[in-house]
Amino acid sequence: MAIEGEKEKPSKRTTNPGVRVVGGRIYDSSNGKTCHQCRQKTMDFVASCKAMKKDKQCTINFCHKCLINRYGENAEEVAKLDDWICPQCRGICNCSFCRKKRGLNPTGILAHKAKASGLASVSMLLEVEGHDNFAYQKKPKLNDDSMEGSSGNSDSVSGTDVEVADVAKDKKKVVGKSKKANATHKLKEEIQFEAQLPQGISLISVSGVVIPTEEAGNVFQLFEFCSAFGKALELKEGQAETVVRELFSCGRNTRRQQYCSIIQLMIQLLDLISKDREMSLSLSVSDNWFTALGEILLQSEVLSDEFPPETFETGVAEYEKMDASRRLKLLNFVCDESLSTWAMRNCIKSQSTECKANNNEAKRKAAAAKEKEKQLKQKLQGDLAKAIMKKNGAPLSIEEHNEILSQIRAEAKEAHDGMMEAKGITSGMTRICDARRTEPIMVEDNGLVLWKLNCYDEEPKFLLQDLGTFDGLCSHEKWLAFKPEQKPDIENYISYKRRKVMQTLKNTNVVA
């Protein structure tokens, strides 16, 4: 009995869903015919029983799929016979209803087992192995504890409709908790199989240039800067690689300073900084740029012990005494200083705006493609309904059914591929612009940092930074690369670590 004033909940089941295409079948609630075996109302070709019951023809139909799989009979052939009698009238029907009437359990799906046994149908399988040897049972939705808890209240629940509804709600809650518990248990089982990060190889060359292992971090810092701002600074393609090659391959025996690529890049950045700070520095003469660099670094107030103020007082001669490592550090320092200029900040802002616009455009295309796929499905179902109406509701032949179905699948696949392509563009474009600082993929407690840098495109494109032990203010770091065949192991390790973090967060929320 219903409570007064309580609104009736709308039924979730649609009484007339119309024409639908699900899997390989066309469902039509108006014009379809119901199969006695599978009890589905479809437009599949059906064979109708010709037997007479009390001066009336039997109304039972069998769809062509059930008839061939369960009984080994061809629907189109038996439909031409004037005296064909259906399996139910012959007393051999193996549907769940008929088997229950005969005191037998439902068989469940056995078509695959029958074919694997070399038999033509399920009916033959039952004859060979026995009707009592097959019994399909539904898996219980509740665990033992839940069943005991619900059965304990079963005697006291025989009352009003309200009490029954409350019990149903409780059961749903228990089922929901059970599903969540099973999912959590499955996640815990997966995490128990701890993934390991594969062994890396010491990085001794980058872009074909042999470098000291301890300098890999400084080299990548320069490459990332040039990769992000090369267009804004109008750098030539491969200019960063040329700088590193001159530093570590040629050492101090480089060409004259005015033709040296590292000096040219240094002067270009110094000119950018001095204009932004409205400093009148003479950078045209080759010997003055080093003194100008000292003035700029004095203003930054971040001079380290590596480059004290007196370093720049003696002029470019002091620079010529520096080794490749110190020159590279000095260049990276100037690169960092240039990021505070208006021109570079404006570059970062414009790149971020452009990246955001591209992301929005990609999302718009994905949404449009999804809507197109939805409209196409509706159109195809409408076309299908028209094709059925042309036949005045007559069932489609197997050939007609397969022809319409293949057309629907082809056009739906085309629309779906378009949507997936648009989604692929979205996932590819939804990222932080190159001008933003690169973030590591993963940071471990043991000092290992996993990177995927824009400037490094050698497969598998993963780099491992080992910060090692710290001695004073200087870290003895190493950079490691991986072999292409190690990529799946790296991806499995990343996935394992992320699942572990998710599990930790869940456990923390449960405790809280």
Side-chain angles (χ1 to χ4, degrees), residues 282-293 316:
S282 177
L283 299 172
S284 58
V285 182
S286 59
D287 290 346
N288 289 348
W289 69 269
F290 192 67
T291 306
L293 173 58
V316 77

Side-chain angles (χ1 to χ4, degrees), residues 238-370:
Q239 188 167 340
E241 288 81 357
T242 303
V243 168
V244 175
R245 189 175 292 107
E246 287 183 359
L247 279 171
F248 294 104
S249 297
C250 305
R252 295 179 187 175
N253 299 321
T254 57
R255 296 170 292 174
R256 293 184 60 84
Q257 291 181 16
Q258 58 267 34
Y259 303 110
C260 181
S261 60
I262 186 171
I263 302 298
Q264 290 177 356
L265 180 57
M266 197 93 74
I267 291 174
Q268 183 179 356
L269 293 172
L270 291 173
D271 183 58
L272 180 68
I273 297 169
S274 62
K275 288 180 179 177
D276 184 77
R277 298 180 183 179
E278 298 180 352
M279 299 172 65
S280 57
L281 299 176
S282 177
L283 299 172
S284 58
V285 182
S286 59
D287 290 346
N288 289 348
W289 69 269
F290 192 67
T291 306
L293 173 58
E295 293 182 29
I296 289 175
L297 293 182
L298 278 172
Q299 286 192 0
S300 69
E301 299 180 355
V302 289
L303 281 174
S304 64
D305 296 336
E306 186 88 29
F307 303 107
E310 55 269 18
T311 304
F312 306 94
E313 292 176 359
T314 55
V316 77
E318 186 66 27
Y319 177 79
E320 293 175 352
K321 295 177 184 179
M322 294 180 182
D323 59 12
S325 176
R326 291 192 70 199
R327 292 182 183 186
L328 180 57
K329 288 178 182 176
L330 189 61
L331 177 58
N332 281 335
F333 193 90
V334 177
C335 290
D336 288 344
E337 281 295 303
S338 69
L339 294 177
S340 62
T341 62
W342 179 87
M344 297 297 271
R345 302 306 299 175
N346 190 50
C347 173
I348 295 172
K349 184 178 179 181
S350 62
Q351 281 195 33
S352 299
T353 304
E354 182 182 354
C355 190
K356 186 177 180 181
N358 290 336
N359 289 340
N360 292 337
E361 177 64 16
K363 289 178 181 178
R364 187 192 65 78
K365 287 182 179 179
K370 187 175 181 179

Side-chain angles (χ1 to χ4, degrees), residues 100-158:
K100 285 179 180 179
K101 287 180 181 178
R102 298 200 299 269
L104 300 171
N105 291 318
T107 64
I109 299 173
L110 289 179
H112 298 295
K113 183 175 178 62
K115 290 178 181 179
S117 303
L119 301 173
S121 64
V122 173
S123 182
M124 289 183 65
L125 177 68
L126 296 174
E127 290 294 333
V128 172
E129 299 194 13
H131 288 265
D132 297 330
N133 292 329
F134 298 97
Y136 172 76
Q137 293 181 347
K138 290 184 178 180
K139 294 180 181 179
K141 293 183 179 180
L142 302 176
N143 53 33
D144 295 340
D145 296 336
S146 304
M147 290 296 290
E148 289 174 9
S150 60
S151 61
N153 297 328
S154 59
D155 295 336
S156 61
V157 181
S158 59

Side-chain angles (χ1 to χ4, degrees), residues 306-460:
E306 186 88 29
F307 303 107
E310 55 269 18
T311 304
F312 306 94
E313 292 176 359
T314 55
V316 77
E318 186 66 27
Y319 177 79
E320 293 175 352
K321 295 177 184 179
M322 294 180 182
D323 59 12
S325 176
R326 291 192 70 199
R327 292 182 183 186
L328 180 57
K329 288 178 182 176
L330 189 61
L331 177 58
N332 281 335
F333 193 90
V334 177
C335 290
D336 288 344
E337 281 295 303
S338 69
L339 294 177
S340 62
T341 62
W342 179 87
M344 297 297 271
R345 302 306 299 175
N346 190 50
C347 173
I348 295 172
K349 184 178 179 181
S350 62
Q351 281 195 33
S352 299
T353 304
E354 182 182 354
C355 190
K356 186 177 180 181
N358 290 336
N359 289 340
N360 292 337
E361 177 64 16
K363 289 178 181 178
R364 187 192 65 78
K365 287 182 179 179
K370 187 175 181 179
E371 181 63 25
K372 182 180 178 182
E373 182 188 29
K374 181 181 177 182
Q375 291 177 357
L376 181 58
K377 285 182 178 179
Q378 292 175 350
K379 176 181 175 295
L380 290 173
Q381 290 184 354
D383 293 345
L384 179 60
K386 289 178 183 177
I388 295 170
M389 288 173 66
K390 286 181 180 179
K391 297 194 67 176
N392 296 320
L396 300 172
S397 67
I398 297 175
E399 185 179 353
E400 289 173 328
H401 174 275
N402 292 337
E403 184 180 351
I404 292 175
L405 197 61
S406 62
Q407 178 189 352
I408 291 173
R409 282 176 173 170
E411 295 189 31
K413 184 179 182 300
E414 183 180 351
H416 182 72
D417 289 345
M419 184 191 69
M420 294 306 294
E421 183 181 354
K423 281 187 175 181
I425 294 173
T426 303
S427 61
M429 292 299 297
T430 306
R431 57 182 178 84
I432 300 174
C433 70
D434 294 338
R436 298 282 295 275
R437 185 180 297 275
T438 306
E439 297 293 338
I441 297 174
M442 193 171 296
V443 180
E444 299 281 25
D445 295 334
N446 56 1
L448 297 179
V449 185
L450 193 63
W451 295 89
K452 204 169 188 180
L453 303 177
N454 296 325
C455 65
Y456 187 78
D457 57 0
E458 296 180 23
E459 289 294 338

